[in-house]
Amino acid sequence: MEEGIFFLSKEETKKKLTEGRLNVSVFGLGYVGLPLAVAWCKAGAKVIGVTKNKEHEELLKKGISPFPEDLELKKEYKECYEAEKIEITSDSSYAAKNSDLKIIAVPVPYDIATSTINYSALEDVANNLGKSLKNGDIVDLESSVPPGTTEKILLKILEEKSKLKLSRNFGLVYSPERIYVGRALKDLRENYPKIIGSSCKKSLEIMSVFYEQISKKGVILLNSFIAAELEKLFEGVYRDVNIALANELANICEKMNISYEEVRKAANSQPYCHLHQPGIGVGGFCLPNYSNYIIAKAKELNLEVPVIENGRKENEKLPFLMAKNLIMYLRSMLELENINILVLGLTFRGNTSDTRYSPAIDFVNTIVEKVKAVYVYDPFVKRPLENLDKKAKIVENLSELKEKAEVLCIATDHEEFKKLLSSNELIDLLKDPKIIVDFKVVINNETKAKLEAFGAKVFIRGEPVSFISGLNSNLTK
Ligand SMILES: NC(=O)c1ccc[n+]([C@@H]2O[C@H](COP(=O)([O-])OP(=O)(O)OC[C@H]3O[C@@H](n4cnc5c(N)ncnc54)[C@H](O)[C@@H]3O)[C@@H](O)[C@H]2O)c1
């Protein structure tokens, strides 16, 4: 019988993976777990992937990735599946029993309404792992989690259920996922070093040998779980706060009739300045959760974090404010009850199918109450969404649009929209006064000039003569 991976030498560890003798289970095959499973497979491991999503399970068992927008993932998943190097199951205990390295990528959501963190998926996986944990196994938590989770929740359950001890019998690391959905495999393999944190030196040693086979940029080792947990959250909080700042600065530019983008580019030529782009709000599963985890932790510590709290609040308000400003502008010139609005994009950002906490949904839900009809087109969203107002009409193809729209809003920056905007197709769907509002700055100067030549009035977030941040005096004169 082979020795458990926790007790291997560095050289044996490397061989175990590259010679195809390492059995890995991945709990959660979502935007993060599926690329992880594929990356480990391609590095040489045999993988058992666990999903609780029935629809995804059916597709995966046919060799089809549920995330077709990521072409590399789609291709490589198919290859792994056809080579029988990845097995798909919904049975966590089967996966737990039949693997040496157990990777966890399930969500730990923060519920804004109740201000509570839902650990149930992680606890479920931990209980399953604890029941069958063997001497020499290693567990690797890759979900983003509130600080302290690896030790206080995962390790506690593992030790209680298995009666084994960290460092003596098994290994444990926290290794956050830093990928950008849509280009996950490239990020994992080429773009950033892998962060690995653990209070157990041997766990760090083994996992760094493994991840050095996958990540070209190598690994960064941290000496505690909590430091690695915070590292991931700080990346997200930095972006959340800076997006709030970018939106404030864009508002100033709009009111002063100055191009924010022009100023931003020039400012960012200085190495200490990293101004972000403005938009319609911040969504996705990550950034809102991360700031909320940190705000909750600060409360526990009796610390005030006004910068993070205000950034979060401003970002939450933004899609509603953008909707209000649009309606106010339209009301100043048209009868609202006669207006049709076409919205491009529902996902939380471009080139993904992920609609979790999407600001575009808040925006649509707000404007749909005020006008005759709102049509929504998103190449990645073909079905009604639970949290989208039923009055909003999703069109699968733009050719389905029953009537022309007076207003077109761009709420997500999908690559496809850039092409659409430079074609005549969109203009043909509009009728006077042909108002185009670009919240995501996808329209460049050339496209703007072309659209204006067709008689459209084009407003771009953060650009001169716009009303997006609130009514502009230049427009109301
Ligand atoms: N999506 C991102 O861009 C991103 C980036 C970095 C980190 N993360 C973090 O990665 C984690 C996963 O995010 P995601 O976007 O992949 O989520 P997801 O919702 O796309 O996928 C979650 C997966 O977990 C499975 N699952 C749920 N409960 C389970 C259980 N009890 N047992 C086994 N499997 C279960 C689901 O079936 C699904 O396959 C989160 O902590 C997230 O914050 C996400």
Side-chain angles (χ1 to χ4, degrees):
M1 192 175 146
E2 288 206 52
E3 202 175 5
I5 53 170
F6 183 66
F7 303 113
L8 296 179
S9 67
K10 278 189 179 178
E11 202 174 309
E12 267 307 308
T13 304
K14 187 172 166 186
K15 278 204 217 149
K16 183 108 179 164
L17 175 61
T18 52
E19 291 176 2
R21 288 182 286 114
L22 180 70
N23 295 311
V24 175
S25 49
V26 179
F27 295 83
L29 292 177
Y31 290 98
V32 164
L34 189 63
L36 267 176
V38 168
W40 280 89
C41 252
K42 288 282 177 180
K46 278 180 255 155
V47 174
I48 303 176
V50 184
T51 177
K52 300 287 178 183
N53 180 324
K54 282 276 153 237
E55 216 174 294
H56 286 187
E57 188 183 352
E58 270 173 37
L59 286 171
L60 289 163
K61 282 184 167 168
K62 291 182 197 149
I64 301 169
S65 159
F67 312 112
E69 67 267 29
D70 187 334
L71 299 178
E72 199 177 13
L73 178 65
K74 182 176 158 189
K75 174 178 164 285
E76 294 202 23
Y77 172 68
K78 190 165 183 276
E79 287 164 5
C80 292
Y81 191 77
E82 285 173 353
E84 296 183 0
K85 285 187 71 190
I86 185 161
E87 189 184 344
I88 304 297
T89 180
S90 57
D91 184 347
S92 296
S93 77
Y94 168 79
K97 275 183 203 139
N98 292 289
S99 50
D100 317 298
L101 170 63
K102 296 106 179 9
I103 301 178
I104 308 172
V106 298
V108 179
Y110 180 90
D111 182 4
I112 296 173
T114 58
S115 304
T116 50
I117 295 163
N118 181 348
Y119 292 97
S120 59
L122 176 62
E123 285 167 342
D124 176 51
V125 175
N127 278 309
N128 275 296
L129 289 178
K131 277 187 239 161
S132 59
L133 202 67
K134 309 180 294 296
N135 215 24
D137 283 350
I138 296 183
V139 178
D140 165 14
L141 177 58
E142 304 221 359
S143 309
S144 307
V145 292
T149 303
T150 310
E151 189 167 344
K152 297 226 169 76
I153 295 187
L154 180 57
L155 177 59
K156 189 164 174 274
I157 298 176
L158 292 176
E159 288 192 334
E160 269 173 19
K161 288 266 161 192
S162 68
K163 311 285 181 235
L164 299 176
K165 273 274 168 230
L166 173 65
S167 300
R168 190 189 314 148
N169 308 104
F170 70 94
L172 175 64
V173 298
Y174 176 74
S175 180
E177 237 356 288
R178 313 174 80 194
I179 57 155
Y180 192 81
V181 169
R183 50 153 213 245
L185 284 168
K186 201 171 169 54
D187 277 355
L188 260 166
R189 292 173 179 148
E190 290 172 34
N191 289 347
Y192 325 111
K194 190 79 172 115
I195 305 283
I196 311 174
S198 182
S199 56
C200 165
K201 292 240 168 333
K202 184 68 183 168
S203 304
L204 284 177
E205 183 185 294
I206 305 273
M207 287 308 292
S208 64
V209 172
F210 282 145
Y211 264 122
E212 271 157 9
Q213 303 308 302
I214 294 174
S215 166
K216 276 195 193 140
K217 288 264 160 83
V219 296
I220 295 177
L221 302 183
L222 304 182
N223 286 319
S224 66
F225 302 117
I226 209 157
E229 290 168 343
L230 285 173
E231 179 283 323
K232 172 67 193 171
L233 302 182
F234 287 4
E235 282 180 32
V237 169
Y238 173 86
R239 282 188 18 233
D240 205 25
V241 166
N242 276 288
I243 293 170
L245 173 67
N247 277 298
E248 252 177 44
L249 299 179
N251 289 348
I252 292 173
C253 287
E254 272 184 35
K255 288 279 179 181
M256 295 179 73
N257 285 321
I258 294 290
S259 165
Y260 171 75
E261 189 53 18
E262 190 184 8
V263 178
R264 185 181 83 92
K265 277 193 183 138
N268 284 354
S269 67
Q270 208 272 2
Y272 303 114
C273 186
H274 307 102
L275 288 178
H276 289 40
Q277 277 174 316
I280 192 169
V282 175
F285 189 72
C286 297
L287 302 197
N289 269 333
Y290 302 172
S291 291
N292 283 323
Y293 293 162
I294 292 289
I295 293 165
K297 178 49 82 181
K299 285 215 171 84
E300 254 176 70
L301 298 170
N302 227 353
L303 270 178
E304 289 190 0
V305 283
V307 173
I308 304 171
E309 270 182 333
N310 282 327
R312 183 87 295 277
K313 262 191 229 145
E314 292 305 313
N315 286 338
E316 264 169 31
K317 277 196 314 213
L318 204 60
F320 302 100
L321 190 72
M322 299 284 111
K324 189 181 120 210
N325 292 342
L326 172 66
I327 294 298
M328 195 161 69
Y329 173 67
L330 295 179
R331 192 181 276 134
S332 73
M333 60 190 316
L334 298 165
E335 298 289 331
L336 289 182
E337 58 275 19
N338 296 330
I339 300 179
N340 291 318
I341 300 183
L342 170 61
V343 176
L344 295 185
L346 264 190
T347 61
F348 86 92
R349 66 162 170 75
N351 308 322
T352 175
S353 57
D354 195 345
T355 55
R356 288 175 291 181
Y357 306 119
S358 175
I361 295 178
D362 291 334
F363 173 76
V364 170
N365 286 348
T366 312
I367 59 171
V368 80
E369 297 291 333
K370 312 278 188 211
V371 296
K372 183 177 161 202
V374 175
Y375 296 91
V376 187
Y377 171 68
D378 188 309
F380 298 106
V381 184
K382 300 291 181 192
R383 286 180 301 182
L385 299 172
E386 235 172 64
N387 52 352
L388 183 72
D389 194 309
K390 299 282 168 288
K391 291 194 281 302
K393 298 165 190 164
I394 294 191
V395 289
E396 277 197 37
N397 290 297
L398 284 170
S399 56
E400 278 174 31
L401 212 68
K402 294 268 181 317
E403 38 189 351
K404 290 191 177 195
E406 285 83 358
V407 182
L408 170 78
C409 295
I410 301 158
T412 305
D413 48 353
H414 292 314
E415 211 48 47
E416 181 182 316
F417 296 161
K418 290 184 191 152
K419 286 182 209 131
L420 258 177
L421 281 157
S422 52
S423 74
N424 292 347
E425 193 182 344
L426 270 180
I427 277 291
D428 291 342
L429 300 173
L430 297 184
K431 63 179 170 189
D432 284 343
K434 295 191 186 117
I435 294 168
I436 299 179
V437 187
D438 177 6
F439 292 103
K440 295 293 296 180
V441 199
V442 298
I443 297 178
N444 59 25
N445 286 341
E446 194 188 332
T447 308
K448 182 170 186 252
K450 193 172 160 190
L451 294 166
E452 283 172 342
F454 281 113
K457 289 185 171 55
V458 182
F459 301 104
I460 303 173
R461 181 83 181 105
E463 291 304 298
V465 198
S466 182
F467 63 86
I468 304 178
S469 62
L471 269 190
N472 190 317
S473 54
N474 282 20
L475 288 164
T476 47
K477 267 175 210 158

